[in-house]
Amino acid sequence: MNKILNLYLFRQLSFSSIGITLALTAAIWLTQSLRFLDLIINRGITLGTFIKFIFFLLPDLISIILPIGTLIGVLFVFNRLYVESEWVAFKALGLSHIRIALPAIFFGMLVVAFLYSINLYFLPLSFQKFKDLEHSFRKTTTAMLIQPGEFNTLRGITFYARQRQANGVLKGILIHDARDKEKEITINAEQGILLEMPEGARFVLVKGNRQGYDPKTGQPNLLSFNQYTLDVAPSDSDIKERHRKPHERFLNELLNPSETEDLLFANKLKAEAHQRLLMPFTVLGFILISLSLFQRGEYNRRGRVKRISLAIVLCVLLEAAMLGLVHLSEKLPLLTLIAYILCGSVCITAFFFLFERSAGRSMFEGNSS
């Protein structure tokens, strides 16, 4: 009988939590994907690259939404059992509060393990792939970054084009080159094209003039041309290997920063590492807090709206406290230890509170209406 009840509760919890998580993830994923549609419509990105961009968003979304979906799923299932008197049947069979809560606790441990797999491997991997793809796209599709009718800035050069033809030719071009403050120039051209060369992007301009001035004499300098070439040399950040941010690094890189990193950045790396280790475990805290509050008090078929609301508030406070302590630990590393103590003490207290209630007075003493 116990095995059947365990399987029944576990199935209800898993279906509800996973369903809610998938629904929330799909909704947020869709809204996040909309900002990449401009890359397809106006900037020539391929559908395959677009799919890669939005696919690499999934691990981060799941790591954020799954704890929320699990909390909502647990409260939904137990409230439904409560309202439909199934919970009463479990108590009539002699099951204690802790015994009824065990399937939810076991499910929470599986969620924690899954979140650790995401946080420790899939999350940094997806961020690396996303940033590498974005970096590559910015380097190799410079021409597509020009939006007709808008002023665009690229590596110290501000440029404007009235229109762009289907073959990539730009009409009505205005360029201001401010890379060298002592030799700033302004170029007007009837038409031109931006080419991608091995050494960097290159403007090829036709029929226009270049305006500048001599910084020593202050005299203007005007040059008319039939054809003019302006090289856009790659910036230093494009030449050297891209410096990976904390969320792109794996756990061993975060906990063991290289000696070349400054102290502030090293603390950021360690804070990111502790956040990945701590935040999945809050799921278990959510479940224990919810069930320890939910199973208290007298039975009422109208449900437990107040206790559910209180559980949600306490879980939000726990999440906010954990995130706050972890982020502040970038400046005060001692706060990391406090975060671990807080998370562990909340889980242990909620568990023993649930256990003690199961050994105390029956929930059916008093009003049972």
Side-chain angles (χ1 to χ4, degrees):
M1 179 63 72
N2 286 341
K3 185 179 293 186
I4 295 175
L5 292 177
N6 286 342
L7 182 60
Y8 173 73
L9 287 175
F10 184 84
R11 185 173 58 185
Q12 294 291 319
L13 290 167
S14 59
F15 285 172
S16 298
S17 299
I18 294 174
I20 292 170
T21 299
L22 291 177
L24 291 175
T25 302
I28 298 176
W29 190 40
L30 179 61
T31 58
Q32 290 293 312
S33 301
L34 292 177
R35 62 192 178 100
F36 293 106
L37 287 179
D38 178 65
L39 299 178
I40 289 182
I41 297 172
N42 296 319
R43 309 203 178 192
I45 188 176
T46 64
L47 180 61
T49 304
F50 170 76
I51 293 175
K52 287 181 180 179
F53 268 121
I54 62 175
F55 178 76
F56 291 143
L57 294 174
L58 275 178
D60 185 39
L61 289 177
I62 292 175
S63 68
I64 295 172
I65 297 172
L66 183 55
I68 300 172
T70 301
L71 172 62
I72 297 174
V74 169
L75 290 174
F76 171 78
V77 168
F78 274 83
N79 189 62
R80 185 179 60 80
L81 295 176
Y82 199 84
V83 172
E84 296 179 2
S85 300
E86 293 183 62
W87 188 80
V88 178
F90 295 154
K91 295 299 296 180
L93 291 173
L95 298 180
S96 64
H97 294 171
I98 192 69
R99 183 66 188 79
I100 298 174
L102 281 179
I105 295 173
F106 179 68
F107 176 72
M109 293 174 67
L110 292 180
V111 172
V112 170
F114 180 71
L115 286 174
Y116 272 127
S117 69
I118 291 179
N119 282 7
L120 301 184
Y121 180 74
F122 293 105
L123 187 64
L125 182 64
S126 67
F127 272 127
Q128 284 184 16
K129 297 292 185 181
F130 182 90
K131 291 298 183 180
D132 288 344
L133 185 62
E134 184 181 47
H135 187 68
S136 175
F137 175 73
R138 291 181 183 276
K139 285 182 61 178
T140 60
T141 58
T142 305
M144 292 302 174
L145 296 178
I146 300 178
Q147 294 300 296
E150 299 179 5
F151 284 93
N152 305 267
T153 301
L154 174 67
R155 299 165 191 165
I157 301 177
T158 301
F159 49 89
Y160 171 89
R162 186 177 66 252
Q163 72 178 92
R164 181 173 58 205
Q165 298 179 340
N167 59 2
V169 175
L170 302 170
K171 296 284 189 178
I173 300 173
L174 174 64
I175 299 175
H176 181 70
D177 186 354
R179 289 175 294 179
D180 188 343
K181 295 298 182 181
E182 295 184 355
K183 297 181 181 180
E184 295 186 21
I185 59 173
T186 301
I187 302 174
N188 294 287
E190 293 183 9
Q191 63 180 18
I193 192 170
L194 183 59
L195 304 175
E196 292 290 343
M197 310 297 291
E199 62 275 12
R202 173 178 295 173
F203 282 106
V204 179
L205 308 170
V206 177
K207 294 183 180 180
N209 61 78
R210 189 193 70 175
Q211 305 171 36
Y213 72 98
D214 189 330
K216 295 181 179 179
T217 63
Q219 296 297 318
N221 196 342
L222 181 63
L223 171 68
S224 297
F225 59 82
N226 288 322
Q227 181 173 315
Y228 185 84
T229 301
L230 178 67
D231 290 324
V232 183
S235 63
D236 293 339
S237 61
D238 291 330
I239 297 175
K240 64 182 181 181
E241 184 179 357
R242 188 173 61 84
H243 190 64
R244 297 200 181 276
K245 297 181 179 179
H247 54 259
E248 299 177 64
R249 305 193 181 201
F250 290 95
L251 187 63
N252 61 322
E253 299 175 88
L254 296 173
L255 292 176
N256 301 290
S258 63
E259 296 180 356
T260 58
E261 308 287 3
D262 61 79
L263 181 59
L264 179 59
F265 189 73
N267 288 337
K268 287 184 177 181
L269 294 178
K270 292 180 180 180
E272 174 71 19
H274 291 300
Q275 179 173 333
R276 293 188 197 174
L277 292 172
L278 273 169
M279 299 316 295
F281 208 71
T282 58
V283 173
L284 200 56
F286 291 171
I287 293 175
L288 292 171
I289 289 173
S290 302
L291 295 182
S292 63
L293 285 173
F294 186 87
Q295 298 195 89
R296 293 188 63 194
E298 299 172 349
Y299 175 69
N300 190 328
R301 291 191 62 182
R302 288 175 294 181
R304 324 224 75 188
V305 177
K306 291 183 178 179
R307 294 192 180 277
I308 290 175
S309 301
L310 179 59
I312 293 174
V313 170
L314 291 179
C315 291
V316 170
L317 291 176
L318 173 62
E319 181 86 358
M322 297 295 293
L323 289 174
L325 288 171
V326 169
H327 285 299
L328 289 175
S329 68
E330 295 178 7
K331 298 181 178 179
L332 297 172
L334 181 62
L335 293 179
T336 302
L337 178 60
I338 298 176
Y340 279 99
I341 294 174
L342 174 63
C343 184
S345 61
V346 167
C347 292
I348 294 172
T349 302
F351 177 77
F352 279 104
F353 188 73
L354 179 66
F355 181 79
E356 289 172 2
R357 290 299 302 175
S358 68
R361 294 172 53 193
S362 170
M363 297 281 289
F364 297 99
E365 295 181 8
N367 182 21
S368 60
S369 58

